[in-house]
Amino acid sequence: RGRGSDAGRPRRRRCSGGRRRRGCCRGRVQGLTNFSEVLVETDTFDVSVSAEEKEEMPQIWNFSAGPGMLPRPVLEAVQREFLDYRGLGASIVEMSHRTHAVEAIVESLTDGLRGLLAIPEDFEIFFTQGGGRTQFAMVPANLLRGKTGAYLVTGLWSAAALEEARRIGRAEAVVRTEGDVPDATECDWPDAAAYVYYCDNETVHGVEFSAPPMAPEGVPLVADMSSNFLTRPIDWSRHGVVWAAAQKNFAPAGLTVVIARRDLLGGLLAHMPSMFDWALYAREKSMPNTPPVFQLYIADLVAKWVRSEGGVEEMHRRALERSSLLYEALDARPDLYVTNVARRARSRVNVPFALRNPDDLADFIAAGEREGFRQFTGHASVGGLRVSLYNAMPLEGPRRFAEFLRARRP
């Protein structure tokens, strides 16, 4: 979590002889009489908090970059329904994807997203497994068709997408920027571009496009919107494909939504696995195999929550308000904090920064954790600090963190 900090590390439990517990009690498990005893005897890592410790803790603000926090009303609904989903006598995680109940969830989620994001009827909405890195391969597998993928590289995830595309076929970076988004004049387009790919919000580097980038006429624009999905409206006239891994704003990890113009389906390269075929997912209504039912269920609840809170326009307003609190506090103390993203490209949902004096990092993290802040260290590839502000984050969280930033002394 940070140099010199043990906060958040699991504590190994020991047997009475002082030995570490891994494997040492296996011979005794068979004699246990109930599941609770099995849990105690086989729980190698004890990360629980006692009631006494809980009372002494401040309110916790979870700034995790992903999996990110989910809306509390959604979690409470899941808790209520978990053992008996809608009176059907079974948990949602025990139900076949072929039941009417699960088919209704997928239909509700699909219709809900189409309404929330005003998705035109000529776009298919479907759900896959495999996360973002699988889409790094599925995009070129479905769209290259003997041409070249053109990539706008603005951070770690667009760079990773380019690297994966090169394993499938021809792909090249038409521009590379650091801490900023590119201008159209900076792009060196290939003669035969199959598509233009960009990451709408770079989670690690905190770089976000305020508007879709330009693409050559007739070339579809493909966007990875994993970390800012459902945070603002999408201009569908500018896009051919939008996809998003769910674990930031949408659902637990294990689900990805793909929204693709129908005329772009059906072009899977011949040597690719059939499970890479977007057209298969669209044709089978996201069920070519057993889908992640629990994730779909939570995603449907999140979509309903977004609608009840005022839709993506309201989510955008809140995102601007939350992030502005932090950027104003960081800009007010250039003697303490360093930000490396151009103002026009600052992310509304991921705010990375560094300390002017890196030697203070461990103390800063420890002080923040005493205030109730959690999971605000930077990505391992860049270090520093990062505060993530997804839809479920109340305004009070960034307000308190901004106060903490302003109160720090050199």
Side-chain angles (χ1 to χ4, degrees):
R1 292 183 55 80
R3 295 177 298 178
S5 173
D6 288 328
R9 293 181 182 173
R11 302 186 298 274
R12 285 187 183 272
R13 301 179 70 180
R14 298 176 183 268
C15 288
S16 57
R19 295 170 295 167
R20 293 205 170 186
R21 290 180 53 95
R22 183 177 295 280
C24 65
C25 294
R26 288 177 183 167
R28 292 165 37 196
V29 170
Q30 292 182 347
L32 299 179
T33 59
N34 60 60
F35 183 57
S36 297
E37 290 182 358
V38 173
L39 285 180
V40 171
E41 290 299 321
T42 58
D43 184 12
T44 305
F45 295 100
D46 181 6
V47 296
S48 60
V49 176
S50 68
E52 293 77 11
E53 290 174 314
K54 187 70 174 177
E55 288 183 1
E56 296 175 359
M57 290 172 60
Q59 180 171 347
I60 301 302
W61 301 99
N62 178 15
F63 295 119
S64 172
M69 67 180 298
L70 292 167
R72 186 174 182 86
V74 168
L75 295 177
E76 290 172 343
V78 173
Q79 185 181 50
R80 288 194 302 271
E81 296 184 330
F82 191 74
L83 294 179
D84 184 1
Y85 178 70
R86 310 290 167 91
L88 296 176
S91 172
I92 187 65
V93 299
E94 301 170 313
M95 291 187 179
S96 167
H97 58 297
R98 301 303 180 190
T99 61
H100 174 70
V102 174
E103 290 175 348
I105 288 172
V106 176
E107 183 177 353
S108 172
L109 174 57
T110 303
D111 291 346
L113 290 179
R114 194 175 294 279
L116 277 173
L117 294 169
I119 301 170
E121 289 299 324
D122 60 336
F123 281 76
E124 293 280 0
I125 305 169
F126 49 92
F127 306 95
T128 74
Q129 302 176 54
R133 287 189 179 272
T134 300
Q135 289 306 317
F136 292 168
M138 291 178 78
V139 167
N142 283 273
L143 297 179
L144 274 181
R145 307 177 190 185
K147 296 183 178 181
T148 302
Y151 283 71
L152 311 181
V153 178
T154 54
L156 185 147
W157 297 118
S158 49
L162 171 61
E163 180 180 353
E164 191 67 24
R166 285 174 169 165
R167 300 172 64 91
I168 307 294
R170 291 195 305 274
E172 60 185 57
V174 298
V175 67
R176 291 180 183 269
T177 59
E178 185 173 340
D180 202 355
V181 294
D183 294 318
T185 55
E186 301 177 72
C187 299
D188 184 15
W189 304 111
D191 292 335
Y195 58 88
V196 173
Y197 182 103
Y198 77 107
C199 181
D200 199 33
N201 183 79
E202 288 280 2
T203 318
V204 171
H205 293 89
V207 173
E208 185 176 30
F209 286 79
S210 60
M214 299 299 296
E217 186 174 356
V219 178
L221 187 62
V222 179
D224 168 6
M225 294 190 178
S226 293
S227 50
N228 61 357
F229 188 64
L230 292 181
T231 68
R232 65 183 178 188
I234 298 172
D235 184 352
W236 297 103
S237 69
R238 300 280 298 278
H239 290 90
V241 178
V242 166
W243 68 267
Q247 66 269 19
K248 314 294 186 180
N249 268 310
F250 193 32
L255 179 72
T256 301
V257 59
V258 181
I259 306 167
R261 212 171 61 215
R262 197 168 292 117
D263 65 297
L264 296 176
L265 303 180
L268 184 72
L269 297 175
H271 62 287
M272 289 290 105
S274 61
M275 288 299 290
F276 271 30
D277 189 359
W278 282 343
L280 175 66
Y281 290 87
R283 186 169 61 250
E284 296 295 329
K285 300 187 183 300
S286 303
M287 296 188 187
N289 64 346
T290 304
V293 172
F294 187 61
Q295 284 84 345
L296 288 164
Y297 160 62
I298 294 185
D300 184 43
L301 294 178
V302 169
K304 289 180 168 67
W305 177 82
V306 171
R307 183 177 64 191
S308 72
E309 292 291 307
V312 291
E313 293 84 0
E314 174 63 15
M315 296 299 106
H316 179 46
R317 186 196 67 77
R318 294 181 187 181
L320 290 173
E321 186 175 10
R322 283 190 295 260
S323 58
S324 294
L325 288 170
L326 292 193
Y327 287 125
E328 289 171 4
L330 291 168
D331 291 342
R333 298 300 304 273
D335 57 321
L336 293 179
Y337 310 117
V338 180
T339 57
N340 294 313
V341 178
R343 288 176 182 266
R344 67 172 184 171
R346 283 176 164 179
S347 171
R348 299 164 303 131
V349 291
N350 303 110
V351 181
F353 63 99
L355 300 183
R356 184 69 66 183
N357 183 1
D359 292 338
D360 292 339
L361 182 61
D363 289 340
F364 183 92
I365 292 171
E369 291 184 340
R370 287 194 296 272
E371 296 295 322
F373 308 134
R374 296 291 186 271
Q375 304 191 74
F376 58 97
T377 53
H379 190 270
S381 64
V382 296
L385 299 147
R386 174 177 53 171
V387 177
S388 295
L389 306 169
Y390 299 127
N391 281 345
M393 173 60 66
L395 186 62
E396 186 64 17
R399 179 179 290 126
R400 292 196 181 188
F401 200 93
E403 292 171 355
F404 173 70
L405 291 172
R406 293 179 186 275
R408 294 287 292 173
R409 294 293 178 262

